Each structure stands twice: as structure tokens, then as C-alpha cells.
């Protein structure tokens, strides 16, 4: 048996757990915290006092409850004072948000861009400009405790190197290091769909679900897989790249060099091509096609039917292989799924194994396009939620 | 913080951990055990004494090492005295083995059968007969501490119900309960490929690998996926059914009712059909086709080429989706892979994403057809390896 943890380690861990509870669930009474954590109230009081002294939480009266009697105080995260910066490099936009402890977006700024290759230096410069102006706007006395970046491609998380971003034309770009150097603070980088999966599980439609697959449609289709409550990483952390599961051998050429990948057959570009709407691009094109189909346009309906069928093959495969509780459609796949749900479901009914398809729920993202951004904020908060006092002290001194 | 475990709980856990070490690794000195477990030698001595008194381990001199000086004693599992029964219901055979603590097969008995539907009552009766005669043959004073069954289909593990076994014609058969009643002892049931994955990771080619996919070919193709060291279960424990990932939409009819599943395109039946060898069945057919191809038979080579290509699509998809360290080919897929490796690898080179395919290792099973049986033994040992003394006492009194 390993040596028991020291009192200091136990305290640090309990501070972290308490802070995570109020970060994820919002204001909680000391009694609720005591029950959730299996600790007595005097220990909760001591922990709360420490976190309040540091400026991470405060205790206050809850909103009117309508109940008689003296209301008990609730412990609330210092959402205005303690924040992170969440960045999202998508295939068709850059976004930066300031997100308070507790998870609410305080402030955001977004820059659409044309899809296609994008010079890393330009991206870094643009993100740094957006980030710095947002930090300048933050009120004095507030403190930034982390920076997280969601990227639309394969990321080596341990050092923030983009291994492969086909929709933006990057190979082996150390975006984490480049941005850290520019901003003067560490930047954690994750795959956008992985972070979207975490966001939907923590703050979206998948709350409490232990086995969830999140599919994020942008230009391509990214996937984030949470199994048994843990993000599926695989050997190098690239697990969950379901967009490059081949559903149609010899089918449409994919940017990865292969053919018939799920993203080539069921992504935005496939829909635009099938509908013959190359006059439009991106989200606007998807919206226009969905709209036309709703008005009865036969080409648009056929296109959605076709894309929905391939999406259904992909979903059936994922359901058979993973036996998830829930599949969540995010980004533009949200709109595509809503317009082609019958097709997806009928494909699943034919090709899904009974024991797994009978229980799975198909849902649309609650956070829509912001799922990766919200997940990037969670990534940025990770250090604070592991060691609250040290992380805060380091942030205040930097 | 939850209350600290009681001294009794700590002791039980340490007994279990020590026993697992010698079960998996074989004889170990007290010094090695002390180092592995992070305990001091006097605690190891106390634990070893308890396990030896119960008859689960014994201490003895190791084999000649050639080193000078007095050799230290090693702790060795009582492999002859403590055993489990491992049962395998495959698509084309029944097998029963007596497996000693430490994992060695002491005794085995196998009954080939024609593929196709098989009455559950007949299977139960046959397994009971094989099991009972094997228990009769065990020497007096030995004790059976568990029974585990590997089944070639989807199993609800918590109650041992076969939800779906297309290759044997079973739907919702409570095989665990039926066999338990017949034998008078509890029977744990698992999917054969999941158990094969565990066996290859514990005692086969995947020792120490945390992210491994095991593919088991019989009539169909089963899959067992271990990610981050844990078996992928999913919502109902049916995760890993990779044989029903569709690789060829609209392709060959599969017994599951769908078309173009990996097992329909790359399994034994597909190979036999492609080679035009319906005069043969099962393993014998695969062996004959592989042999013919090696002798230059064009039809056999074409058939292996075609099946290898579909297998390659399946492997590429799994590699992209899971980012495994290793993919292991077991059962008849072992022979198919060996004969079609070039095709599988070239498909992976085209369709696998660089960052994931550059690191993955493709390997054949070390345990061959016995992987599910060895995994069933591990399942049967699970209770003993969680609470050694109680489990042994219960087994001795039953």
C-alpha cells in the first residue's frame, strides 16, 4: 500500500473538489457540499473559508426561494473576478471568449473567415490581438487563471502541436508554444470535438451521461468519444477521429487523401455538392439548403436524404462499435441532423444491432457552435480545479 | 473525503493485490513483491503467511539461478490445488478447460460441432457433462474457485443472458443462470472477443499494452477493445461489436440482417465464398484456401486479396477511430491476416491517418484459438482475486 496522503495533500484535494462542485453546479449550500463530498460541515466551513479568503468563492444569501424561515447561505464561485480565456480555431472562424469561474461566458468576440488554408502566423497574430483586447477590457482586480484553445484537427495534447489540420492546411504546427510565447502565459490545446464532447457532458445535453459520442460538423466532421466517463484518447491522444471512418469505399475524395470518409459523404461540402449549391459556402449554405428543403425544393430534399443516409451509416457503425448512451450532433451537423433525422434513424434501425440501438438516444447539441469554446474554457480551468490556491497565486504573480 | 478504509479492508485489498501479482507474473520473491506493491517486507511476510495458511500460495526455493550465495525464497501460486473451470461456446466448437491459479491450462477437452443453430438445452447438457467429468478427474483436495464462460455473441454480463448470438441462433437465452442451476455453482459469462482481448493483454502478445483491439474470427468476427487499460463496455456492456461495422454498404448479406458488415466481407464465410470452396467449412476451409494460395492457386490468392482488402478497411477505420497501440488478429483471422497482411497493410497505408497509423502495431494472437478460453478463466478468477480468503472459504464449503 502506498503511503497515505499527507494532510496538505488531502486539503489541496478537498479544496479542488469543493471548487469543482460549485464551478459545475453553481451555488450550493454548505449542507449540500457536505453531503456531496462525504465530509462533515465543520470541514466544509474550513475549506470554504480558505477559498473565500483567496477570492475564489463567496458566501451569500440565495435568491428568494419562497420558503419560510432563515435561508442558509450558499457558496458561489467568484465568476466576475476569476476567469479564463477560451479560444477556438474553427475551419471557418476564430473565436475568443472570456469565461468566468462557474462557466458563464462573460464576453466574446468572433471573426468569420473564408475556409481553406490559413497561415499559422496570421492566426497566431489575430488570436493574440483578440485575446489581448479582451484582457484589457476585463476589470482591474480580476485574474486570468488559464488559456485554452480548441483546434479543428488532430492535436498532440501534451505539447500543443497540431499534427494535422486538413481543413486549415496545417501539418505539425506548434500552435500551443507559439501562442504561449506571444501571450506570455501557458496555452493548453485540445481537439475541438473532444472539447465539445466534454462541454456537452459538463454543461450541455449530455449532463451525467457516462458513454457519449459528440459529432462536430464544420467543414469536416470531428468526433469526441467519452466512455465510462473518460475521454477516449488512445495511444497518442488522437482517438475519436470518427470523421475519417470510411463509410463508402471508393466514394467522394476526402481532404485526408482517402475516399468515402464520413466527413466526405455526410459533411457540409457533401451536402453543398449534392444540392448543387456551390454558389454558397459554409453555414450559410447549410442553412439555405435546409430552408429550401423545408419549402419543398426537391433537389435540397434529395441532397439531405442522401447525406442523412451516409450520416446514418456512420451513426450505426458508432453505435455498434461503442454502445453509447447518447450521440450528440453539434456544429452544422445540428442543422443537418434536424433536417435528416428520419433518414438517420431509419438507417440506424436497419443497421444497428438491436441490443445497442434500442437504448441509444440521438440528440442535438445544447451549446451549438459554442461547444468547442466552452470545452476550451474547461481545459483552461483544469489546473485551477486541481490545485486552486497555488494556481491562483501563480496567476496573480504573473 | 470518504472515511478511510478499515484495517480489515486494507488487509483484504493487499491480499488480493499480492495474489494477483503471482497469478499474473508467476513466482516472485518477497523483495519483488515489496517493491511492486510499495509495502515493506514485514507486511509482505504477514500477507504471504496468511495466503500460504489458506493454501493459495507456497514459498519455495526458485530454480537454479547460477548465482552464488543463498537464494531467496519465492512466493508461488498453488496452481495444482486451486483452479477454475473455463468454458467456451464458439460457433464451431465447445471447449472446457481446468486452469490453475497462475493461469496454466491443466486439462482440456474440446468438441467440434457443425456450424449453425444449436439448441440451448443441448449445449447446456453437453457443457455440464464435460465440466463434471473434468471436475471428477481433478485430484482430491483441489478446489474449484469459479466458473467462467466465453460466448460467441452479445452477452449482458450482469446476469449472463445471451442477448444475441447469430452464429448459433440464440436470442435472449439466460445461459449463465441455466448452467449455474445445472452445475450448482455461479457461472460468470462474457463475450468471447472481450475475454480474448483480456487474455491477450494479460498473457499474450499485448502484455502491458493499454490501448489494444482484439479481433476474433470464427464464423463471424468479434471484437474486444481495451482503452486506457479498461475494457470498453458502453452503456450496456456491448461495446466492441466491430464485426458489425459496415465497411461495404449494400454488400454481402450478414446474419445480423444488415449488409456489408466487416464479418460478412472479411470473415470465414466471405473467404470460402470468394474462393469457391463451399465443399469445405470452418477452420479446415480457411486452412485449405491459405494453403492453396501459398501453392500459387489463383482463385485462392484472389479470394485472400479481396477479403484482406475489406479487413484492411475495417482495420483502418478502427485505427482512425480508436488510435490503438496494437491490433491483434485471433481465431481464424490469425491465418487470414498472415496470408493477406500485405493487403491489410496497404489499405491501412492509404486510409489510415498518418498520426495514428505511424505508431500502430498489427500482431497475431499469441493464444490462438484459446484466447477466449484463457479470458474465461480470468473471468472465473476475478472473485478470488478481489477477496481471496472469503472466496476460497466459500468454495471449500460449497
Amino acid at each position: 500500500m502506498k503511503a497515505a496522503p499527507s494532510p496538505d495533500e488531502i486539503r489541496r484535494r478537498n479544496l479542488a473538489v469543493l471548487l469543482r462542485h460549485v464551478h459545475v453546479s453553481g451555488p450550493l449550500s454548505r449542507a449540500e457540499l457536505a453531503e456531496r463530498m462525504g465530509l462533515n460541515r465543520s470541514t466544509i466551513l474550513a475549506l470554504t473559508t480558505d477559498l473565500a479568503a483567496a477570492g475564489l468563492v463567496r458566501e451569500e444569501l440565495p435568491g428568494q426561494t419562497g420558503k419560510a424561515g432563515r435561508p442558509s447561505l450558499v457558496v458561489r464561485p467568484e465568476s466576475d473576478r476569476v476567469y479564463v480565456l477560451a479560444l477556438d480555431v474553427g475551419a471557418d472562424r476564430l473565436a475568443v471568449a472570456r469565461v468566468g469561474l462557474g462557466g458563464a461566458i462573460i464576453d466574446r468576440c468572433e471573426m468569420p473567415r473564408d475556409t481553406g488554408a490559413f497561415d499559422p502566423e496570421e492566426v497566431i497574430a489575430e488570436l493574440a490581438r483578440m485575446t489581448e483586447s479582451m484582457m484589457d477590457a476585463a476589470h482591474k482586480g480580476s485574474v486570468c487563471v488559464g488559456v485554452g484553445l480548441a483546434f479543428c484537427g488532430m492535436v498532440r495534447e501534451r505539447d500543443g502541436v497540431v499534427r494535422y489540420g486538413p481543413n486549415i492546411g496545417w501539418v505539425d504546427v506548434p500552435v500551443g508554444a507559439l501562442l504561449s510565447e506571444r501571450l506570455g502565459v501557458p496555452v493548453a490545446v485540445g481537439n475541438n470535438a473532444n472539447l465539445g464532447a466534454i462541454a456537452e457532458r459538463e454543461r450541455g445535453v449530455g449532463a451525467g451521461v457516462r458513454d457519449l459520442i459528440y459529432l462536430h460538423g464544420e467543414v469536416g466532421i470531428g468526433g469526441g468519444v467519452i466512455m465510462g466517463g473518460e475521454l477516449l484518447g488512445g495511444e497518442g491522444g488522437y482517438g475519436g477521429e470518427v470523421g475519417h471512418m470510411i463509410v463508402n469505399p471508393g466514394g467522394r475524395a476526402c481532404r485526408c487523401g482517402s475516399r468515402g470518409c464520413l466527413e466526405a459523404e455526410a459533411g457540409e461540402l457533401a451536402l453543398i455538392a449534392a444540392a448543387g449549391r456551390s454558389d454558397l459556402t459554409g453555414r450559410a449554405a447549410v442553412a439555405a439548403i435546409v430552408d429550401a428543403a423545408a419549402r419543398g425544393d426537391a433537389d435540397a430534399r434529395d441532397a439531405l436524404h442522401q447525406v442523412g443516409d451516409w450520416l446514418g451509416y456512420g451513426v450505426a457503425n458508432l453505435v455498434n462499435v461503442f454502445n453509447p448512451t447518447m450521440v450528440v450532433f453539434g456544429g452544422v451537423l445540428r442543422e443537418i441532423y434536424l433536417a435528416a433525422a428520419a433518414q438517420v434513424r431509419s438507417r440506424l434501425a436497419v443497421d444497428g444491432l438491436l441490443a445497442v440501438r434500442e437504448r441509444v438516444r440521438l440528440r442535438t447539441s445544447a451549446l451549438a457552435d459554442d461547444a468547442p469554446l466552452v470545452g476550451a474554457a474547461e481545459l483552461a480551468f483544469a489546473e485551477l480545479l486541481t490545485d486552486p490556491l497555488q494556481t491562483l497565486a501563480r496567476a496573480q504573480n504573473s
Side-chain angles (χ1 to χ4, degrees), chain A:
Chain A
M1 196 178 58
K2 307 291 176 191
S6 68
D8 267 5
E9 284 164 349
I10 291 175
R11 175 168 163 271
R12 183 163 61 230
R13 182 163 166 274
N14 284 339
L15 289 168
V17 171
L18 194 157
L19 192 60
R20 178 174 287 278
H21 277 298
V22 298
H23 172 64
V24 172
S25 305
L28 292 168
S29 70
R30 283 189 215 144
E32 288 169 313
L33 286 164
E35 192 183 324
R36 286 190 179 202
M37 294 176 67
L39 292 173
N40 60 43
R41 292 213 201 179
S42 63
T43 308
I44 295 290
L45 174 62
L47 295 169
T48 310
T49 304
D50 284 356
L51 291 173
L56 288 164
V57 303
R58 64 178 187 278
E59 291 194 277
E60 61 179 28
L61 286 172
Q64 286 303 100
T65 62
K67 288 194 202 144
R70 194 172 66 119
S72 67
L73 292 174
V74 294
V75 180
R76 175 185 294 277
E78 283 280 13
S79 304
D80 295 335
R81 189 171 172 274
V82 180
Y83 71 91
V84 296
L85 289 161
L87 286 59
D88 180 17
V89 177
D92 60 2
R93 70 165 194 180
L94 301 181
V96 175
R98 199 152 60 87
V99 178
L101 185 61
I105 294 178
I106 300 168
D107 194 0
R108 64 177 293 159
C109 146
E110 191 171 325
M111 197 183 84
R113 67 173 200 87
D114 292 337
T115 56
F118 200 172
D119 179 49
E121 278 185 33
E122 274 182 59
V123 171
I124 303 289
E126 193 56 52
L127 286 174
R129 194 190 57 69
M130 292 162 82
T131 304
E132 282 157 359
S133 80
M134 198 163 278
M135 287 175 89
D136 289 345
H139 74 80
K140 304 310 155 203
S142 64
V143 55
C144 174
V145 295
V147 182
L149 171 70
F151 182 85
C152 58
M154 296 173 85
V155 173
R156 189 165 65 210
E157 299 203 355
R158 68 168 194 277
D159 59 3
V161 169
V162 168
R163 289 301 311 279
Y164 187 52
N167 295 319
I168 189 169
W170 291 11
V171 174
D172 289 328
V173 174
V175 65
L178 291 170
L179 197 57
S180 291
E181 194 180 337
R182 176 71 187 257
L183 295 176
V185 292
V187 177
V189 186
N191 167 267
N192 63 343
N194 282 353
L195 294 174
I198 288 170
E200 289 294 338
R201 209 267 309 261
E202 296 278 315
R203 304 189 178 276
V205 71
V209 172
R210 289 176 55 79
D211 301 294
L212 172 150
I213 298 177
Y214 173 78
L215 299 176
H216 188 78
E218 247 177 16
V219 174
I221 295 178
V225 178
I226 293 175
M227 284 282 126
E230 298 288 328
L231 196 64
L232 183 130
E235 190 267 346
Y238 308 116
E241 280 292 343
V242 304
H244 299 283
M245 176 172 64
I246 294 169
V247 292
N248 183 21
R252 288 171 55 86
C254 182
R255 295 183 184 207
C256 75
S258 179
R259 290 188 161 273
C261 294
L262 179 62
E263 77 170 46
E265 300 291 350
E268 180 180 310
L269 297 176
L271 181 65
I272 293 169
R277 290 301 300 267
S278 54
D279 54 316
L280 291 169
T281 60
R283 283 155 221 263
V286 172
I289 294 164
V290 168
D291 191 49
R295 283 184 286 101
D297 180 295
D299 289 347
R301 292 175 81 141
D302 287 352
L304 279 163
H305 190 94
Q306 180 185 321
V307 161
D309 199 47
W310 290 119
L311 186 57
Y313 273 115
V315 169
N317 280 355
L318 294 174
V319 166
N320 287 347
V321 168
F322 286 102
N323 185 199
T325 304
M326 185 179 284
V327 178
V328 180
F329 301 93
V332 297
L333 274 186
R334 192 171 178 279
E335 279 65 50
I336 292 174
Y337 173 71
L338 286 172
Q343 201 57 33
V344 175
R345 289 184 178 276
S346 81
R347 186 46 70 194
L348 179 61
V350 171
D351 295 318
L353 295 163
L354 177 65
V356 294
R357 78 172 137 83
E358 69 186 358
R359 300 287 299 273
V360 70
R361 286 172 274 161
L362 308 187
R363 294 286 184 273
T364 53
S365 161
L367 301 165
D369 293 343
D370 278 343
L373 199 62
V374 170
E378 296 303 320
L379 183 63
F381 275 122
E383 204 178 339
L384 183 76
L385 297 175
T386 305
D387 188 351
L389 303 185
Q390 283 259 5
T391 304
L392 183 69
R394 202 160 42 232
Q396 283 168 328
N397 293 332
S398 75

